[in-house]
Amino acid sequence: MMKKLFKSLVCSVALVTGLVGCSSASNSSGSGNSDSTSKDKQLVVGVTLSQMSDPFFVNVKQGIFDQAKKDNVKVVFADGQANTATQLSQVEDFVSKQVDLIVLNPTEADPLVPAVKEANNAGIPVITFDRWVTGGKTVTHVGASAIEIGAQAGEALFEYLGGKGKIAVIEHIPGASTTIDRTKGLDEALKKYPGIKVVARQSATSRAEAMSVMENILTANPDIDGVYAYNDDNALGASDAIIAAKKQDKIVVTGVGGTAPALDAVKQGKLLATVDILPLEEGKLAIKTAVDVLKGKKITEQHEGRTWVLQQSKVVNGPQWDKKK
Amino acid sequence: MNVVKMNNVEIQKKISFTDFLSKYGLIVGFIILFVVMAFLSPVFLTKVNLINILRQVAVNGIISVGMTFAIISAGIDLSVGAVLAFSGLIMVMTQGQGAVVALLAALLSGVLWGFVNGMFITKGKVQPFVVTMASMTLVQGVTLMVSGGHPITLKNPTLLRLGSDYLGPIPILVVVFAIVIILGWVLLSKTSFGRYTYAIGTSESASKLAGIKIDRIKILIYTLCGAMAALAGVILTSRLSSASPIAGAGYELDAIAAVAIGGASLAGGEGKMVGTLFGVLIVGVITNGLVLLDVNVYIQQIIKGIIILVAVLIGNRK
C-alpha cells in the first residue's frame, strides 16, 4: 500500500511540476511582450477567445498566431473558458497591461459590455470577433455572419432535396446568439423553399447527445429526407445514428463550422455538406484588421446594420452530393 | 428499517403502507410513465425504440453503478465525467497497439484516477466532494492538454464493433451494461464489501469500532467509480467513433440524479442497485419520450426537473 501511495504521489508531483512549468513559460512570454513594446514599438494585441475546448477556436487561434508572426505583432492570449466572469477579468488584465488593442470574442453578448466600457475608458480600441457585444464602443466587428451561414447550409440541403421533403432540425445550445441567428438564417432559406417541411426540431450540445436525439427522431419520423444541424458536432452525431440505422442512402445531413472531423466526413460521403467558416482565415482576418486599425485605417464596411469586416464562408460538399447529379 | 423497534400496531400499519410506497413507488412510477408514453407515441413500444432506450442509458447506467457505491458510503464522485473523457482519449491514443492493450490502458487509467481519489479522501482526510471536484478540474485540464482540444478519431475495427455491433438482437453495449449492473448488485447486496459500504454510510465511527477497515473499503469504492467511468468512456468513444476532450461534461450530475431517483440518500447508508437501475431507466424513458413527441426544448427541461422531483418525493416517503 505504501509503495502504491508513493507511486501515486510521484505521479502527481511530476504532473504538477509539468503543468506549472507550462504556465510559467506562458507567463514569462506574456510579460516579455510589454517590455519589448517600449523598446521597439512592436504592436501588442490582447486576444481572448470564448472557449478553447471547442476545436473551432483551436483553429482560430492558429490563424491568429500565424498572422501575428507575419505582421510582427505580439499577441497576449487568454482562454475565456466559456465563462463570462473569467473573460471580464481577462479584459481587465489587458487594460492594466496597456495593450494597444483588444480582440474580444465574447462568450455572451450582454455581460461583457462592462469589459468593453473599461477598455473604452482606458482609450484602448476593441474589436469584437465572431460574436458581438450589445453595448460600449467597438471599432468594428470581424467574423462570418451566423445568419448568412444558416441560410447557406439550408439552401444547400434544400437544393439537394429538389425543394421538397421532410427534414429534422438539430439546434445547438438553446439561447446562444449563434443559435438564434442560425434559426433566422434557416427561416430565410425555408421561405425560399416552401416545399420543405420541418417535422422535428430538437437540440443537442454534444456529438453523443446529438446521436441519441437523432435515434429518437428516426423512431418517430422514419420517413425524413434530411437533417439540418446547427453545428458540425451535431451533424456528426446525427450521421452516426443514421449510419447505425443503415439509412445513409435515404437521409442526408448538413452541418456548419468546417471542423476537421466534419470536413473528413464530407470527403467520406458521411455528410452531405458543411459550411466552412474557415476558422484559420477568420483568425488571420482578426489580426489583419487589428493592424489596419492601429495604423489608422478607417473601417467603413457595413453588414447587418453594423461596422463589420466580413469573413466569407463557403459550402463544402463531397461524394454524397455528386451521387445525386 | 425502523419498523423493528416499533410496538404500536397502528403506527406499524401506517409505516408498512409508506414502506410499500417507498419500496415499490419507484417501480409503479416507472410503469405509469411507460404506459403514458406508450399511449402518447405510437412508436414508443416498437422493438427498435426500446433497444434505443437501453442503448442510450448504457453509458449513464454504468457510471451510476459506481456512483451508487460512493453515495451509499455517504460520499460522492464528481470526477466521473472527466475520467470518462480521459479514458476515452487514452483508448484512442493507444489503439495502434491493438484492441486489448487499448482497452486495458483505458480501464487502467480510470482505475488509477479512482485510486488517487480514494487515497486523498482516506489518507489525506479530505471530503469526497472536494477531492473529486478538484480531480474533475485537474483531469479535464490534462485531457484538454494531451488532446490539444481536438476530438480524435477511433479507427481500430475491433474497438469500433464494441459500440455498434449486436449480440443476437441486443447491442453489445447493452449486454455490457446488463453484466455490470448484475455484478454491481451482487457486490452490493451479497458480499461483505457491500455490507461494509452500507455500514460506513450509516455510521463511520461505529464501523470503525466494529473493526471495518474503512480506508481500504473507501479506496476500493472510488477505484470502482473510476473503473466504471473508464468503461463508460470506452463505450461512448466506441459509439461515437471518436474521443472528444469535452465528452462527459455534466455526466456526474446525470448519474447522481439516477441514483437519487433510485431511492439512495445522499446522507449515506441507503440505496439499492435495483433502484439505481430504475432511476437510470426513468431518466432514459423521459429523454426518449420527449424527443419522440417533439416537445419544445425549453419545456423538456422543465418536465424533466418536475419528474425527477416527483420521483424522489415518492421514493423518499418515510
Side-chain angles (χ1 to χ4, degrees):
Chain A
M1 189 59 79
M2 280 316 286
K3 220 174 186 178
K4 279 185 188 164
L5 173 65
F6 180 66
K7 266 186 195 165
S8 63
L9 267 179
V10 167
C11 278
S12 46
V13 167
L15 212 76
V16 167
T17 23
L19 290 173
V20 171
C22 289
S23 62
S24 64
S26 59
N27 275 346
S28 62
S29 73
S31 55
N33 290 341
S34 40
D35 288 346
S36 53
T37 348
S38 51
K39 279 173 203 158
D40 50 20
K41 288 210 169 164
Q42 188 185 30
L43 296 174
V44 180
V45 176
V47 179
T48 167
L49 297 184
S50 56
Q51 190 187 4
M52 290 312 293
S53 56
D54 182 338
F56 178 80
F57 287 112
V58 177
N59 288 344
V60 167
K61 184 184 173 191
Q62 186 64 44
I64 284 174
F65 276 89
D66 285 357
Q67 188 64 34
K69 202 174 172 193
K70 216 170 156 192
D71 290 348
N72 192 28
V73 173
K74 276 279 175 196
V75 173
V76 185
F77 183 80
D79 171 9
Q81 298 166 4
N83 184 329
T84 301
T86 307
Q87 223 173 7
L88 177 61
S89 57
Q90 284 165 350
V91 174
E92 285 168 354
D93 289 348
F94 290 159
V95 170
S96 56
K97 270 185 187 153
Q98 294 185 305
V99 297
D100 297 310
L101 184 143
I102 293 169
V103 174
L104 173 65
N105 165 232
T107 305
E108 290 174 273
D110 289 327
L112 279 160
V113 173
V116 176
K117 287 193 173 150
E118 203 161 323
N120 289 156
N121 289 339
I124 299 173
V126 178
I127 293 176
T128 50
F129 177 74
D130 200 59
R131 308 173 193 175
W132 56 74
V133 287
T134 46
K137 266 186 284 178
T138 53
V139 186
T140 181
H141 180 70
V142 175
S145 155
I147 299 180
E148 234 173 62
I149 292 162
Q152 276 179 320
E155 281 170 26
L157 175 64
F158 305 158
E159 191 195 318
Y160 176 87
L161 294 177
K164 63 178 195 314
K166 290 182 184 172
I167 64 156
V169 175
I170 303 182
E171 300 181 358
H172 197 214
I173 305 167
S177 74
T178 37
T179 302
I180 295 164
D181 280 352
R182 292 259 204 287
T183 306
K184 284 184 196 159
L186 172 63
D187 289 345
E188 270 179 26
L190 280 170
K191 256 182 233 155
K192 285 188 199 166
Y193 293 86
I196 299 289
K197 207 177 148 221
V198 177
V199 294
R201 196 182 267 273
Q202 290 295 319
S203 131
T205 50
S206 69
R207 184 168 173 170
E209 199 187 345
M211 185 181 185
S212 294
V213 165
M214 192 65 226
E215 285 169 350
N216 295 341
I217 290 176
L218 282 177
T219 314
N221 307 284
D223 57 340
I224 56 169
D225 307 294
V227 178
Y228 177 99
Y230 275 36
N231 69 346
D232 279 345
D233 256 11
N234 283 355
L236 289 169
S239 147
D240 289 336
I242 290 166
I243 290 169
K246 301 201 167 60
K247 290 195 165 179
Q248 62 267 42
D249 293 332
K250 290 180 193 125
I251 306 171
V252 292
V253 184
T254 57
V256 166
T259 61
L263 291 173
D264 275 353
V266 170
K267 259 185 226 156
Q268 293 163 10
K270 288 179 183 168
L271 292 184
L272 173 68
T274 180
V275 180
D276 192 349
I277 308 178
L278 307 165
L280 202 68
E281 299 304 316
E282 202 182 15
K284 285 181 184 169
L285 190 63
I287 295 300
K288 277 184 205 160
T289 311
V291 172
D292 282 349
V293 168
L294 288 172
K295 284 188 176 157
K297 190 185 160 198
K298 269 259 176 283
I299 309 282
T300 51
E301 293 167 59
Q302 293 280 324
H303 191 77
E304 286 168 31
R306 64 178 72 225
T307 316
W308 190 326
V309 181
L310 190 67
Q311 164 68 34
Q312 295 298 335
S313 49
K314 61 169 189 194
V315 176
V316 181
N317 51 40
Q320 211 175 23
W321 183 281
D322 302 332
K323 227 189 307 178
K324 177 104 175 182
K325 300 209 162 154
Chain B
M1 326 277 131
N2 307 329
V3 184
V4 191
K5 286 175 189 168
M6 305 273 180
N7 292 322
N8 191 314
V9 184
E10 250 177 63
I11 290 179
Q12 202 158 12
K13 243 185 191 168
K14 209 172 175 188
I15 283 180
S16 60
F17 173 69
T18 49
D19 205 38
F20 169 83
L21 205 68
S22 79
K23 241 182 188 166
Y24 302 107
L26 188 69
I27 297 171
V28 172
F30 176 74
I31 292 171
I32 292 172
L33 185 70
F34 204 83
V35 171
V36 169
M37 286 298 182
F39 271 105
L40 288 179
S41 167
V43 287
F44 178 79
L45 274 183
T46 55
K47 188 184 131 201
V48 176
N49 190 52
L50 295 180
I51 284 180
N52 265 349
I53 295 175
L54 288 176
R55 198 161 45 189
Q56 289 166 8
V57 300
V59 168
N60 184 29
I62 291 170
I63 298 175
S64 299
V65 168
M67 190 66 84
T68 306
F69 282 88
I71 286 179
I72 289 177
S73 76
I76 201 148
D77 189 348
L78 298 179
S79 68
V80 285
V83 170
L84 174 149
F86 181 78
S87 304
L89 181 68
I90 293 292
M91 180 171 90
V92 175
M93 286 174 70
T94 52
Q95 59 178 317
Q97 314 296 316
V100 179
V101 175
L103 204 65
L104 287 178
L107 292 177
L108 203 68
S109 69
V111 164
L112 189 82
W113 284 120
F115 176 74
V116 170
N117 276 338
M119 288 307 270
F120 275 102
I121 289 164
T122 53
K123 308 293 177 198
K125 300 202 190 314
V126 189
Q127 283 148 341
F129 188 98
V130 180
V131 169
T132 57
M133 187 173 63
S135 61
M136 169 178 85
T137 314
L138 195 153
V139 175
Q140 265 171 2
V142 173
T143 310
L144 280 168
M145 197 173 72
V146 173
S147 66
H150 289 286
I152 305 177
T153 309
L154 177 68
K155 293 189 176 117
N156 185 305
T158 317
L159 293 173
L160 281 172
R161 282 225 299 276
L162 192 62
S164 55
D165 248 14
Y166 289 76
L167 207 70
I170 302 166
I172 290 179
L173 57 97
V174 174
V175 176
V176 173
F177 172 43
I179 294 171
V180 164
I181 201 119
I182 291 169
L183 288 181
W185 174 75
V186 170
L187 204 57
L188 186 61
S189 35
K190 305 284 169 202
T191 67
S192 55
F193 171 67
R195 282 196 301 279
Y196 294 159
T197 304
Y198 281 107
I200 292 173
T202 310
S203 168
E204 196 168 325
S205 47
S207 310
K208 200 177 254 174
L209 288 175
I212 297 174
K213 288 187 177 120
I214 292 180
D215 284 3
R216 213 167 84 185
I217 300 294
K218 278 192 178 174
I219 290 171
L220 278 172
I221 288 172
Y222 289 94
T223 307
L224 181 71
C225 273
M228 291 300 105
L231 182 59
V234 165
I235 281 174
L236 184 70
T237 305
S238 168
R239 192 159 132 82
L240 294 174
S241 65
S242 76
S244 161
I246 51 169
Y251 281 24
E252 60 280 349
L253 296 180
D254 292 342
I256 294 167
V259 176
I261 291 173
S265 158
L266 286 165
E270 267 175 54
K272 289 210 163 63
M273 202 49 81
V274 178
T276 296
L277 173 63
F278 276 97
V280 168
L281 287 176
I282 284 177
V283 175
V285 168
I286 297 170
T287 312
N288 169 268
L290 293 179
V291 176
L292 287 189
L293 301 174
D294 201 28
V295 175
N296 174 291
V297 179
Y298 304 142
I299 298 175
Q300 280 191 21
Q301 295 209 8
I302 298 173
I303 295 178
K304 265 191 216 170
I306 292 174
I307 292 186
I308 290 173
L309 269 178
V310 170
V312 173
L313 272 178
I314 294 174
N316 281 358
R317 277 181 78 99
K318 297 265 151 65

